[in-house]
Amino acid sequence: MLTAPSMLSADFLNLGADLDFVNREADIIHLDVMDGTFVPNISFGFPVVEAIAAKAEKPMDAHLMIVNPGKYIERFAKVGVDMLSFHFEAAGEESLSLIQRIHSYDVKAGIAINPDVPVEKIFHLLGEVDYVLIMSVFAGFGGQKFIPESLERIRRVKAELRRLGEEHVMIEVDGGVGPSNAAALREAGADILVAGSSVFKAKDRIAALNALKSC
Ligand code: DX5
Ligand code: ZN
């Protein structure tokens, strides 16, 4: 399984050391960008993303939890992110054109959905994206409890990808992910596990990450 530690749970006073850890041990650097409007919380913006970009040795994956995501596609692409996702709830009918714009910068495009959005609503985009980000908590905060119904949502997306012959599209799962649910997530069809607290707050981070990788 591919692992994507969420830098939201890193120690911001020791961000360099935490980034070294992710560069060394994980596959993808997950960056949670929140604007205080699409979600109630504010996380970090360009100064932090640029600082991480300067030292990133693994692909950077920006997860935009913001209104009007189209406004910032160019800027994230120019910072050098490799993967860029935005929420279907924030973009609606504009989603397809945003995906095309992300691709025009040679960046992988992902569509993210919150747990209360029926997965069928994004089925028309599955042939367009490189990955689907299925939220297994409501976007906005790290450290929430995994919503078990997410497993069935992953299965439904996976089944539709198979039906469409689009199995190269990856499924990324984000929220409350850790060693206790990683195997079930893999069986359901997940390809990328985003993990904040279960990795950064673990007593033994390497062991926590290896448990995700090897499931
Ligand atoms: C939530 C974010 C997640 C979050 C994951 O809005 O998208 O990436 O930081 O954190 P944990 O793993 O602690 O749920
Ligand atoms: Zn995220």
Side-chain angles (χ1 to χ4, degrees), residues 171-199:
I171 298 182
E172 179 175 43
V173 186
D174 186 358
V177 173
S180 64
N181 50 26
L185 288 165
R186 180 185 48 75
E187 274 161 33
D191 302 289
I192 306 171
L193 299 179
V194 176
S197 341
S198 71
V199 168

Side-chain angles (χ1 to χ4, degrees), residues 134-153:
I134 300 183
M135 291 303 301
S136 39
V137 301
F138 281 88
F141 298 90
Q144 303 181 73
K145 209 169 143 327
F146 179 80
I147 300 173
E149 288 75 21
S150 310
L151 290 169
E152 182 52 29
R153 290 163 61 75

Side-chain angles (χ1 to χ4, degrees), residues 6-8 10 12 15-16 18-19 22-23 29-32 44-61 79 81:
S6 164
M7 300 311 289
L8 187 63
F12 287 98
L15 194 52
D18 282 1
L19 182 58
V22 175
N23 277 334
I29 304 165
H30 187 79
L31 302 169
D32 286 303
F44 49 75
F46 288 107
V48 173
V49 174
E50 280 160 6
I52 290 174
K55 300 264 164 161
E57 291 167 14
K58 292 286 162 74
M60 288 188 295
D61 162 31
V79 169
V81 302

